[in-house]
């Protein structure tokens, strides 16, 4: 069970320190689950000083070169981080990521020794048109199984909207993804302390990628405690 907090474009160094002052005492209660934080690039080193699992929010596919604004796998490892998210819906929507670039980012990062959380998920329109399965099949088809790879199923209509997928909807998508690619699958999209348990109890839900609720140390700790309880059985 992995619970990852995606901080997106939030927090300064002082805010990270305040988060960990509050979150650190609860970490002892979280035996049996893995907890990762995914801060913005400038905070990777500070975050790595507080907890072992730190993921960047993106990673480029080249070793180095003329790619202004991008960050390489080697730089992320050098900052003390352990992994990277690729293909988040916000990267696909606002920054031109495609299945092809997501695959290249994932392949290179894994080859460099980073762990990877690769995000997939259908839009509201795609779900309404009955195209969810086709979209997930296409997005997953470019990924290859790897021991460092985890997929996050994040229906776009559930990200930051407060409209979580029902446990049944999540379970159905996770089962499909796992039939295509034998890797753990996290659920993401408006996960909160009040809906985490029902989602995490689904047989094919192996954890959560938490956005908004991971910014507050108390709500993130609550979700992590719920996951630890579910993991204990
Ligand atoms: P949310 O974000 O929990 O705020 O919906 C999830 C994500 O985008 O990873």
């Amino acid at each position: 069970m992995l619970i990852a907090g995606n901080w997106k474009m939030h927090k300064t160094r002082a805010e990270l320190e305040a988060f960990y002052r509050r979150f650190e005492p609860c970490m002892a209660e979280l035996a049996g689950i893995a907890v990762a934080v995914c801060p913005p690039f400038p905070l990777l080193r500070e975050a790595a000083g507080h907890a072992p699992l730190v993921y960047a929010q993106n990673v480029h596919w080249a070793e180095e070169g003329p790619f202004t604004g991008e960050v390489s796998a080697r730089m992320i490892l050098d900052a003390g981080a352990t992994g990277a998210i690729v293909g988040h819906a916000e990267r696909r929507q606002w920054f031109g990521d495609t299945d092809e670039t997501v695959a290249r980012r994932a392949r290179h990062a894994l080859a460099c020794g980073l762990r990877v959380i690769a995000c997939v998920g259908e839009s509201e329109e795609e779900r309404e048109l009955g195209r969810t399965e086709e979209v997930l099949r296409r997005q997953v088809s470019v990924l290859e199984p790897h021991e460092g790879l985890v997929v996050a199923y994040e229906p776009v209509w559930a990200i930051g909207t407060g409209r979580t997928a029902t446990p049944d909807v999540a379970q159905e998508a996770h089962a499909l993804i796992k039939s295509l690619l034998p890797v753990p699958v996290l659920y993401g999209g408006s996960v909160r302390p009040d809906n985490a348990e029902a989602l995490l109890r689904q047989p094919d839900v192996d954890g959560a990628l938490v956005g908004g609720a991971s910014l507050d140390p108390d709500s993130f700790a609550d979700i992590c405690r719920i996951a630890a309880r579910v993991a204990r059985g």
Side-chain angles (χ1 to χ4, degrees), residues 56-78:
Q57 296 172 16
N58 190 24
V59 56
H60 198 260
W61 56 81
E63 289 281 337
E64 61 181 2
F67 301 107
T68 302
E70 291 283 336
V71 172
S72 75
R74 204 157 64 95
M75 294 166 189
I76 291 167
L77 285 164
D78 188 50

Side-chain angles (χ1 to χ4, degrees), residues 3 23 26 30 33 35 219-229:
I3 305 296
F23 185 71
C26 109
L30 304 179
I33 66 162
V35 177
S219 65
F220 192 52
D222 283 346
I223 292 168
C224 292
R225 283 194 198 96
I226 290 164
R229 199 166 68 228

Side-chain angles (χ1 to χ4, degrees), residues 6 8 88 90 119 154 158-162 188-191 209-213:
N6 176 12
K8 308 193 179 184
H88 189 280
E90 288 149 15
C119 302
E154 298 204 305
I159 296 176
T161 59
S190 297
V191 175
L209 182 55
V210 185

Side-chain angles (χ1 to χ4, degrees), residues 167-222:
D168 288 348
V169 163
Q171 168 57 28
E172 191 183 352
H174 283 228
L176 170 68
I177 293 164
K178 285 173 130 179
S179 74
L180 303 170
L181 191 69
V183 299
V185 181
L186 314 180
Y187 171 79
S190 297
V191 175
R192 297 180 307 266
D194 65 313
N195 60 27
E197 176 152 7
L199 288 159
L200 294 171
R201 285 209 181 278
Q202 297 303 307
D204 290 311
V205 175
D206 303 307
L209 182 55
V210 185
S214 73
L215 295 174
D216 173 57
D218 293 334
S219 65
F220 192 52
D222 283 346

